[in-house]
Amino acid sequence: MYTTTVGKTFLQEYNRRNNTEFSAREFFDKVFHPLFFGHKKYLFWAQNSPFVQMKKGQKVHLLTNEERLIKLEELHEKIENGDRDFSIALAYPAATTKEFATTSGLVTDINIITTKEDVYTSWIGGTLSLGVAGGFALLFNDPEITYATFTGWKIYRNYLNDHALDKLPGNKIITWNGQWLEYYFHKRFRKDFDFNDFVNRNAIKKDEQKNTIEIQTIEWSKLFFSLSNKFPSSAKTAYVFAIGQTNKTVGFIPFQFKTGRLLHRIYQQLFGEENYKTNVSDFEKLFGKHIKRACELGNIGLQALEPKNIAKNFQKDTSKIKLDKITFQTYKTWLIAMISKNKTEISDYTRDIAAALVAYRNGGKKGSTIRKNLLEKDFFKTSKKEFLKALDKIVSDDTVEMKTVKKMNGLRDYIHFTNRDEFVYFILLLKFDYSYAERNSQIK
């Protein structure tokens, strides 16, 4: 039912921008229906609605204009007669005499009067949903986001009507919305874009050998970064849900877009503007838990953006950590963002300690594995107690150079004042810096 609320927000913004006074039904008849159902390929498959209920011999791509208008009138008649089930009002309860069926979504058991206008706005709001990987969709009740999404509807329709793109599938408006909005709010958006822009961005996969064209579902993290570019200091709430054979409702989740800008800023500070311009796309791809796991955190921020496989790599011995440059830079950026200490300062500090640890390991007796084992098996523990025990072994070793002892003593002071979460992130960051410094020192 939230689709009605979002639809009303959009319609008000549409009328404001276009100097119109459309009611929901007028917008549906004059704008929505021609775009969605007025051609041989639909933008959206409205399950069980009059638009997909075919009489004998009818097929969507063979319908005449008159037949399409008849189906529209059938919808109008059902709405006039008071029908409010899922096939008539988008994302409303399914028709059932018992409890809500599994095909219901975004519903409530509160007795709410649903007007005819509410039904039409449910169609508008529902089709403004943003499909993301993982089988879920995001629905923002925001005038700027919904209107920007709407501007992509005509683009998708034009592509579907293009004979050169006859393999492009219809009924993918929710998936398209996610890809379109990510591009629309991206820094690299061009007003003179063409279809190949979406192919080059991997938003659309074109396979010449198989003669297929597919719209790819966007990763939620990429959409998040694009929205953070548009709303750099904002937090906006999205309704997260899925509509299919069995509907799933996650709920209202705040999206902390300011954290996206924070990660970009830290990356630029650490690795420079040129690196940022070259790698930003690959950098963004590495972030984000599964959307369902991310939502379980209660809000989408730094923790939800945890880079892929970082925990898996953390379990490895330092000698087995093999990361390409951009992955290493991404991990380091996120870890530094999770630590409240001055970002540049902490980056320099962990690099300095990592270099001292490599020097410590290299300064042991030739052929000895004592220092190597101490570092790799004991030092990088995520327990303060175990970590401090390993640190004590380094400091109490009278063969260790005094400058290294002083650095370890300073490390002890820093660790003592960190909280549990910061300690874990700091050790993980130090472990990656040590692995990187170790490889550069060419120690075998």
Side-chain angles (χ1 to χ4, degrees):
M1 292 182 177
Y2 190 59
T3 51
T4 288
T5 301
V6 176
K8 289 178 179 179
T9 296
F10 164 78
L11 185 58
Q12 183 178 8
E13 182 68 3
Y14 178 91
N15 282 331
R16 184 187 71 81
R17 294 195 185 211
N18 295 277
N19 196 28
T20 54
E21 296 182 356
F22 284 154
S23 66
R25 174 167 176 169
E26 286 173 332
F27 179 86
F28 193 95
D29 286 349
K30 296 178 181 179
V31 181
F32 188 92
H33 180 265
L35 276 173
F36 274 73
F37 305 113
H39 305 266
K40 69 176 184 177
K41 284 186 180 180
Y42 287 172
L43 295 193
F44 177 73
W45 191 260
Q47 190 67 34
N48 296 325
S49 73
F51 300 117
V52 301
Q53 292 176 345
M54 299 293 145
K55 295 182 173 62
K56 186 176 180 180
Q58 284 188 333
K59 292 184 178 180
V60 170
H61 66 285
L62 296 177
L63 292 174
T64 64
N65 288 335
E66 183 180 1
E67 287 173 323
R68 296 183 192 283
L69 291 176
I70 289 173
K71 292 187 179 298
L72 175 60
E73 284 306 313
E74 288 175 357
L75 178 74
H76 289 326
E77 287 176 12
K78 287 179 178 292
I79 294 173
E80 288 290 334
N81 291 335
D83 289 3
R84 299 293 186 265
D85 66 80
F86 186 83
S87 67
I88 304 302
L90 208 59
Y92 274 55
T96 177
T97 57
K98 297 182 179 180
E99 297 294 325
F100 294 133
T102 57
T103 49
S104 300
L106 291 75
V107 300
T108 176
D109 58 2
I110 300 174
N111 187 20
I112 298 174
I113 297 175
T114 303
T115 68
K116 287 177 271 189
E117 283 287 283
D118 289 341
V119 177
Y120 291 111
T121 50
S122 77
W123 284 80
I124 301 166
T127 49
L128 287 167
S129 304
L130 310 169
V132 295
F136 287 86
L138 314 179
L139 191 54
F140 290 94
N141 185 28
D142 180 271
E144 194 160 10
I145 291 176
T146 54
Y147 195 85
T149 305
F150 160 74
T151 62
W153 289 357
K154 294 179 182 178
I155 308 301
Y156 183 34
R157 167 50 62 201
N158 289 339
Y159 289 157
L160 287 179
N161 291 352
D162 189 335
H163 294 300
L165 303 174
D166 64 331
K167 296 299 179 180
L168 184 69
N171 307 316
K172 301 292 184 181
I173 190 62
I174 307 302
T175 302
W176 168 260
N177 285 344
Q179 288 288 3
W180 167 255
L181 197 67
E182 189 275 335
Y183 181 47
Y184 188 81
F185 283 146
H186 200 280
K187 283 185 176 180
R188 296 181 182 176
F189 175 74
R190 299 186 304 113
K191 290 185 178 180
D192 61 340
F193 66 88
D194 59 25
F195 185 79
N196 286 327
D197 283 86
F198 294 99
V199 174
N200 294 335
R201 291 172 60 83
N202 297 316
I204 293 177
K205 183 178 180 182
K206 194 173 182 180
D207 192 319
E208 301 290 354
Q209 291 185 331
K210 294 181 179 179
N211 194 26
T212 59
I213 303 176
E214 297 177 1
I215 303 174
Q216 304 296 296
T217 309
I218 196 164
E219 295 285 343
W220 71 261
S221 56
K222 282 185 67 66
L223 180 58
F224 179 94
F225 279 115
S226 188
L227 286 166
S228 72
N229 177 61
K230 179 63 179 177
F231 309 103
S233 58
S234 300
K236 293 184 181 293
T237 299
Y239 197 93
V240 184
F241 68 104
I243 295 179
Q245 290 184 338
T246 300
N247 293 321
K248 303 173 185 177
T249 300
V250 175
F252 293 96
I253 305 294
F255 280 65
Q256 307 292 342
F257 293 131
K258 58 186 177 182
T259 59
R261 298 303 302 148
L262 173 65
L263 287 167
H264 279 198
R265 187 168 65 251
I266 293 173
Y267 185 88
Q268 291 178 72
Q269 289 174 348
L270 296 178
F271 306 110
E273 186 68 23
E274 289 305 313
N275 252 324
Y276 172 76
K277 289 179 180 178
T278 302
N279 299 323
V280 64
S281 181
D282 292 330
F283 169 76
E284 292 178 351
K285 288 177 185 176
L286 294 173
F287 285 100
K289 297 172 177 280
H290 185 284
I291 184 64
K292 188 176 181 181
R293 300 282 84 80
C295 289
E296 287 173 356
L297 295 170
N299 73 90
I300 304 297
L302 278 175
Q303 197 169 355
L305 286 164
E306 179 182 307
K308 296 175 177 64
N309 298 321
I310 192 170
K312 181 180 178 181
N313 277 304
F314 180 54
Q315 301 301 322
K316 297 180 180 179
D317 291 337
T318 55
S319 60
K320 295 180 180 179
I321 297 175
K322 308 293 184 184
L323 303 175
D324 58 65
K325 180 181 177 182
I326 186 61
T327 302
F328 171 80
Q329 291 177 342
T330 301
Y331 285 1
K332 181 156 186 172
T333 298
W334 182 78
L335 288 166
I336 288 175
M338 294 299 291
I339 300 171
S340 61
K341 193 178 174 76
N342 180 279
K343 309 307 181 186
T344 304
E345 182 182 336
I346 197 65
S347 175
D348 293 338
Y349 184 58
T350 53
R351 272 201 298 257
D352 184 48
I353 295 297
L357 292 174
V358 171
Y360 160 76
R361 171 188 158 161
N362 201 28
K365 292 181 180 180
K366 191 175 182 179
S368 172
T369 59
I370 295 176
R371 293 187 177 185
K372 176 179 182 294
N373 289 338
L374 174 64
L375 291 176
E376 295 182 357
K377 295 182 179 180
D378 299 324
F379 189 81
F380 296 108
K381 296 286 188 181
T382 54
S383 159
K384 272 193 181 184
K385 182 178 179 180
E386 296 302 317
F387 174 82
L388 291 171
K389 282 182 180 179
L391 192 60
D392 179 64
K393 290 180 181 179
I394 297 175
V395 174
S396 61
D397 185 346
D398 58 13
T399 66
V400 178
E401 291 185 5
M402 198 59 202
K403 65 178 183 180
T404 299
V405 172
K406 289 181 178 179
K407 286 182 185 293
M408 296 304 109
N409 186 55
L411 177 60
R412 175 263 177 207
D413 292 341
Y414 174 75
I415 292 300
H416 177 69
F417 292 105
T418 59
N419 60 40
R420 165 63 185 171
D421 288 340
E422 284 200 347
F423 171 73
V424 171
Y425 295 130
F426 177 86
I427 293 303
L428 182 51
L429 174 61
L430 183 58
K431 184 175 184 178
F432 281 121
D433 273 340
Y434 171 78
S435 176
Y436 188 76
E438 182 187 34
R439 290 180 65 184
N440 285 346
S441 70
Q442 300 182 339
I443 296 177
K444 305 298 183 183

